[in-house]
Structure formats: structure tokens, C-alpha cells
Amino acid sequence: MITIGQLARYVGVSTKTIRVYHDKGLLPEPDRDASGYRRYGAADAIELIKIRALAEAGVPLARIRDLRAAADEDFQQVLREIDDGLTARIRDLRATQGRLRRLAAGELSPLPTEVTAFLRRLPGWGFTSRWVDLQRDLWILVFATHPDEAMTLFGDQDEILADPARRQLFLDYDHAHDLDADDPRLDDLARRIVEATRARYGPDELPELDTGSEIPALVQSTVNAESPAWRRLDTLIRTRLKV
């Protein structure tokens, strides 16, 4: 027979843990010797090892108590459920690890690879870093709030910028950032953008998110807040398109 301290050392738990298991009815109280000390045998050590294994696997203590009295078939079923749960946790942890590694590598935006590749092309076309950062943040917002529609909208913009003439309109929009709000070049740019928009989509088929979404207005307000010139350009375009 061994003491509680010896049992704790052999099994690899604390004496406090053993007492908790006693209090919760997981491990039966052993007989005491003439001095009033608990004395444990091999059967107690085996039971404690089983309880520790279940606890380390994430089984709640209350459920362990029920399992200790369960039939073998029920016990095996619970073990399978625990195994499935661990598999799911491992999968989630690996996904989290992958995200952390991408963050460490500087891939900060949770965007599809097609979008990140698109953003990397923008500087080579002459877009400012300010425009690239703004586009990245806005696409993060769109993909987070409308994942089912975002890829369609992105594909439309990717196709537009693949055309040099249409891409020039976006470049001019980008570089208009520092113009005065009353610069006449804004009127000309608004006119060209409206003409290109109508030529591509017709008068009533502008691509947009689902009806009632507040995201388009939020996106445009973010753009407008960047520059008085951009804000006026938006007003001119909306007036000409009557939207």
C-alpha cells in the first residue's frame, strides 16, 4: 500500500488533483491506516491512470464519472467521439498555424490568391501605393461581408483593368487624388468614366451587391473620405449616371 503522495508521483498528478477526483466521485476513497492516512493499492493507481488519460483528452470530469460506470460499447463510442473531436481540433490548429505563417511572411490580407496577385500587378501599371492599399482594404471588406458575390465583382474589375484604355481611367482616378475639388479635369474624367460605364454595362445593368446592402455606400464613403477631388468626382459621376 502507498500514500497519496507516492501515488501522485507514480501517476504524474498532484495530490490536490487526487483529492478533487475523490470529491467528485471519480476515484473512490481508499481505506485509511491506523494513523488516519489514506492508503492506495495497484487498483487505485490503474483507475487514476485511466481518469488522467480521459481528462487529458479533454473529457469533462462530470462525463468521466459516467464513463467509468458505462458498458464497454458505450465507452468505446465515447472514445471514438473524442478522437473525432481531436481530429477536428488538429485540423483547426493547422489552419491557424498556416494563417500565422502567412502573416509572418507579410501576407496580411485574408483574400483569395487571385486578388492578391491582382493587387501585386497594380504598381507595375502605375498605380500609387495609396491606391493599392485602399483597394486591398476595400476588397477585404467586400469579401468578408459578401463572400458569395465578391468574386464576381472582382472578376469584373480584373477584366476591366486588363484593357489598357479602361485601365487608364482608373489610373486617372487614382492620380486625381491631389487635384483641387474645382479642377476642370475632374469634369472631363467624370464624363469619360460615365461614357465607358454605359458602353460596358448599358444604362441599367451596373454590377452591384445584393439589394439593400450598405456595403457599396460604405466603400464609396471610404474612397470619398480620402480626397475632396475624389468626393467631387463621385458626385459628378452619380449625377451623370443619375444613381
Side-chain angles (χ1 to χ4, degrees):
M1 304 298 289
I2 59 177
T3 66
I4 189 172
Q6 291 171 315
L7 177 63
R9 289 195 298 274
Y10 291 150
V11 177
V13 298
S14 67
T15 56
K16 180 179 179 181
T17 296
I18 295 176
R19 293 190 180 97
V20 168
Y21 291 166
H22 285 323
D23 292 340
K24 292 186 176 298
L26 299 177
L27 186 67
E29 284 273 1
D31 295 332
R32 295 176 182 262
D33 62 16
S35 300
Y37 293 105
R38 296 182 179 93
R39 293 295 177 176
Y40 299 87
D44 298 310
I46 292 171
E47 287 299 309
L48 182 57
I49 290 170
K50 291 179 179 178
I51 294 169
R52 185 196 65 181
L54 290 169
E56 289 178 345
V59 181
L61 295 184
R63 196 171 186 190
I64 291 176
R65 183 178 59 247
D66 297 334
L67 284 176
R68 301 304 300 125
D72 183 66
E73 183 178 346
D74 294 334
F75 187 77
Q76 294 299 322
Q77 176 61 33
V78 171
L79 292 183
R80 286 192 292 271
E81 291 174 0
I82 293 171
D83 184 77
D84 291 341
L86 288 173
T87 300
R89 286 171 57 189
I90 290 170
R91 183 173 59 249
D92 292 342
L93 286 172
R94 285 175 174 167
T96 299
Q97 183 184 56
R99 288 192 293 270
L100 289 174
R101 287 176 176 176
R102 289 194 295 274
L103 288 172
E107 299 178 18
L108 300 180
S109 59
L111 291 170
T113 55
E114 297 93 332
V115 182
T116 55
F118 166 81
L119 293 171
R120 291 192 187 102
R121 292 197 299 271
L122 294 181
W125 284 335
F127 287 97
T128 64
S129 59
R130 173 192 59 238
W131 181 268
V132 176
D133 291 343
L134 179 62
Q135 291 296 306
R136 182 197 62 233
D137 292 346
L138 294 179
W139 281 119
I140 288 174
L141 175 62
V142 173
F143 272 90
T145 56
H146 293 75
D148 295 335
E149 301 170 78
M151 205 63 202
T152 298
L153 292 175
F154 166 72
D156 183 70
Q157 184 175 104
D158 189 27
E159 183 179 324
I160 290 173
L161 291 190
D163 176 58
R166 293 191 176 104
R167 183 166 67 238
Q168 186 61 50
L169 293 174
F170 281 83
L171 281 166
D172 291 345
Y173 200 121
D174 176 14
H175 298 151
H177 178 277
D178 297 325
L179 295 178
D180 291 334
D182 58 354
D183 193 302
R185 284 174 288 184
L186 296 177
D187 294 89
D188 180 65
L189 177 56
R191 176 188 57 77
R192 289 188 289 122
I193 290 175
V194 169
E195 289 176 354
T197 300
R198 286 176 173 160
R200 179 172 175 78
Y201 304 110
D204 302 313
E205 299 180 2
L206 298 182
E208 59 183 1
L209 295 174
D210 56 22
T211 302
S213 173
E214 297 178 353
I215 297 303
L218 181 60
V219 167
Q220 192 59 55
S221 67
T222 302
V223 174
N224 291 347
E226 290 283 322
S227 159
W230 283 357
R231 186 162 56 249
R232 181 164 182 267
L233 193 53
D234 176 50
T235 299
L236 291 170
I237 292 171
R238 288 176 177 276
T239 299
R240 290 173 180 267
L241 287 175
K242 296 180 180 180
V243 296

